[in-house]
Amino acid sequence: MTENSTVSRRQILSAHQTGQKIRRIAFEIYEQNFEEKGIIVAGIAGEGFAFAQRLAAELTGISPLDVQLIELRFDKHIHQQSPILFDRELNVENQVVIVADDVLNTGRTLAFALEPFLKVPMKKVQVAVIVDRSHHKFPIHADYVGYSLSTTLTEHVEVVLSRAEEEGVYLK
């Protein structure tokens, strides 16, 4: 990261605050799914998967749920649906799945990420995000939100979970 790009971004949530948001989301997920034996946390590759890992760890620490973690891999940068790959084989049929991503902006990435779960019978599919920017172009909403942030379309929200020295939420 260059010095110039560091100066042009402003921290919105510290590492501690981000951790608190993730823990609160974990409690909300458990409250809504306490009757289940287990759940699947499906993180979108990148910071979404880093969020899913932290969320799964919190859920395991606060609940008796059997928490399964999978990574959803696909090309988020092309404008049509790309194939969605799981990082391992896992039966998602008749399960509760929480799709996790770092930021909900237009909803396109999450709409694509839901595709494999729409092909099989599901108990429930829910969405968890750290930041909701509310610029929705797709009919996607998050069931669990750490922080709602009003931004302009030209601003960029960056969630950093994979680099401990920079962890937090930033506005650029």
Side-chain angles (χ1 to χ4, degrees):
M1 178 155 300
T2 65
E3 183 180 323
N4 220 5
S5 63
T6 303
V7 173
S8 66
R9 71 181 191 168
R10 182 171 55 110
Q11 189 173 46
I12 303 299
L13 295 174
S14 68
H16 177 72
Q17 291 168 321
T18 303
Q20 287 177 317
K21 301 290 185 194
I22 294 169
R23 185 165 177 80
R24 182 178 53 77
I25 291 169
F27 273 105
E28 289 178 27
I29 290 170
Y30 180 46
E31 286 172 6
Q32 294 298 315
N33 297 287
F34 70 92
E35 294 177 334
E36 299 298 329
K37 288 186 169 100
I39 63 170
I40 298 169
V41 179
I44 296 174
E47 294 300 322
F49 185 65
F51 169 44
Q53 290 174 309
R54 297 269 300 270
L55 197 54
E58 289 287 348
L59 281 163
T60 299
I62 65 169
S63 76
L65 294 171
D66 175 26
V67 181
Q68 301 280 330
L69 177 67
I70 57 173
E71 182 178 20
L72 302 175
R73 297 180 187 150
F74 60 99
D75 189 343
K76 298 186 275 189
H77 304 292
I78 59 175
H79 293 289
Q80 70 273 4
Q81 177 72 50
S82 68
I84 306 234
L85 305 172
F86 293 0
D87 65 336
R88 62 191 176 98
E89 286 294 316
L90 186 63
N91 180 17
V92 297
E93 196 167 311
N94 296 314
Q95 301 291 320
V96 174
V97 175
I98 310 296
V99 178
D101 201 9
D102 56 347
V103 179
L104 171 54
N105 187 22
T106 65
R108 184 177 64 86
T109 300
L110 281 163
F112 287 172
L114 294 173
E115 184 260 340
F117 306 112
L118 300 175
K119 294 180 177 182
V120 296
M122 302 294 301
K123 264 190 181 175
K124 193 185 313 183
V125 178
Q126 298 177 315
V127 173
V129 296
I130 296 175
V131 177
D132 183 354
R133 292 185 58 194
S134 299
H135 293 294
H136 303 185
K137 293 181 181 176
F138 289 76
I140 300 293
H141 81 281
D143 301 281
Y144 309 103
V145 176
Y147 192 69
S148 294
L149 182 64
S150 295
T151 60
T152 67
L153 290 173
T154 59
E155 291 174 312
H156 177 74
V157 174
E158 179 184 23
V159 174
V160 179
L161 297 174
S162 57
R163 297 183 306 272
E165 68 281 355
E166 288 185 62
E167 186 175 308
V169 176
Y170 300 89
L171 182 64
K172 296 201 253 183

